Amino acid sequence: DGGITQSPKYLFRKEGQNVTLSCEQNLNHDAMYWYRQDPGQGLRLIYYSQIVNDFQKGDIAEGYSVSREKKESFPLTVTSAQKNPTAFYLCASSRGRERSYNEQFFGPGTRLTVL
Amino acid sequence: GENVEQHPSTLSVQEGDSAVIKCTYSDSASNYFPWYKQELGKRPQLIIDIRSNVGEKKDQRIAVTLNKTAKHFSLHITETQPEDSAVYFCAASYRDDKIIFGKGTRLHILP
């Protein structure tokens, strides 16, 4: 379970506020991912990054932004433009570079609640 | 577009019986198919995976089969136990390290 961490575990935000979720990994992985998990919806990809200073939109990127300034870090900002931000957010990492074995390792998640 | 369909969404089996979860994928270029287990309140963890050059893989009570022609893969759990109760996700890799997940199957093991 170790190697990829997320903080905080629980986060409360008022409507109209931006909030940033932290994700750090010490696995020396090139690729990092952000997923949103809602009941009955599975894991939906928000953004992913294959390498430092580069990232791509996933299926539900609207209202979110990311940065990848360091290999170890991939923070996610939930902006006020996200219409329904209350959800469980999971960060993951993998060796990446389109290697054939691409197991993803997940962080413990952050539960965001908009009040 | 890229898609992974997973069925059923909920599955209840008697303890000791077998459970089967099925997935289909859309992109014939996919070459890696992992299965993740997520227990309540915990993070998903890999339980088994299969690559496109293999048709079947087994690990104790868990097995996965892959039919590339039909773009279909399945998870089989035999001799189910209470600790198998969880949500199971299939996934398929696509280009650019992207992995798409199915919507999950909630497995209940009945005593």
Side-chain angles (χ1 to χ4, degrees):
Chain A
D1 283 357
I4 180 163
T5 58
Q6 292 183 242
S7 62
K9 188 172 182 180
Y10 298 98
L11 190 56
F12 297 89
R13 174 198 110 170
K14 292 182 180 178
E15 279 191 28
Q17 290 181 335
N18 292 354
V19 63
T20 298
L21 282 58
S22 168
C23 178
E24 304 276 333
Q25 54 96 3
N26 62 3
L27 301 168
N28 199 32
H29 283 170
D30 286 306
M32 296 187 75
Y33 308 79
W34 274 105
Y35 294 93
R36 171 180 170 141
Q37 188 170 30
D38 297 285
Q41 293 292 322
L43 299 167
R44 293 187 290 171
L45 183 64
I46 304 172
Y47 270 97
Y48 66 108
S49 168
Q50 291 181 278
I51 199 167
V52 174
N53 292 323
D54 188 39
F55 48 83
Q56 290 80 38
K57 292 183 179 180
D59 300 321
I60 55 166
E62 185 175 350
Y64 300 97
S65 66
V66 293
S67 62
R68 188 83 187 277
E69 297 176 2
K70 299 187 298 181
K71 187 176 185 178
E72 310 80 41
S73 179
F74 191 40
L76 173 74
T77 297
V78 184
T79 75
S80 56
Q82 168 51 233
K83 295 282 189 282
N84 186 20
T86 295
F88 188 54
Y89 291 87
L90 283 161
C91 178
S93 70
S94 71
R95 291 170 63 204
R97 302 277 185 102
E98 299 188 25
R99 295 185 179 96
S100 60
Y101 183 67
N102 209 16
E103 176 185 356
Q104 291 198 333
F105 293 83
F106 285 86
T110 293
R111 188 166 297 279
L112 173 65
T113 302
V114 174
L115 304 173
Chain B
E2 301 155 338
N3 191 40
V4 175
E5 297 281 343
Q6 182 172 349
H7 299 281
S9 57
T10 305
L11 178 61
S12 297
V13 301
Q14 212 70 37
E15 183 178 347
D17 289 349
S18 295
V20 180
I21 302 170
K22 300 182 179 182
C23 291
T24 58
Y25 59 99
S26 58
D27 190 343
S28 57
S30 295
N31 60 6
Y32 175 64
F33 306 91
W35 286 87
Y36 287 82
K37 176 183 180 181
Q38 187 179 26
E39 297 178 1
L40 191 62
K42 297 192 176 180
R43 71 189 83 186
Q45 292 197 306
L46 182 75
I47 55 171
I48 195 167
D49 55 17
I50 191 167
R51 302 178 205 183
S52 59
N53 59 349
V54 175
E56 184 174 357
K57 183 177 178 181
K58 192 172 182 180
D59 183 4
Q60 299 182 355
R61 297 186 297 107
I62 294 173
V64 58
T65 58
L66 172 65
N67 182 331
K68 285 183 63 180
T69 303
K71 291 188 283 186
H72 172 275
F73 59 114
S74 300
L75 177 72
H76 304 252
I77 305 174
T78 59
E79 299 172 13
T80 53
Q81 300 170 4
E83 53 265 34
D84 294 330
S85 292
V87 178
Y88 292 81
F89 294 98
C90 64
S93 69
Y94 288 84
R95 302 171 187 86
D96 302 330
D97 299 315
K98 189 175 182 180
I99 291 185
I100 300 296
F101 285 82
K103 291 190 175 183
T105 296
R106 185 171 297 278
L107 177 61
H108 299 277
I109 306 301
L110 307 172

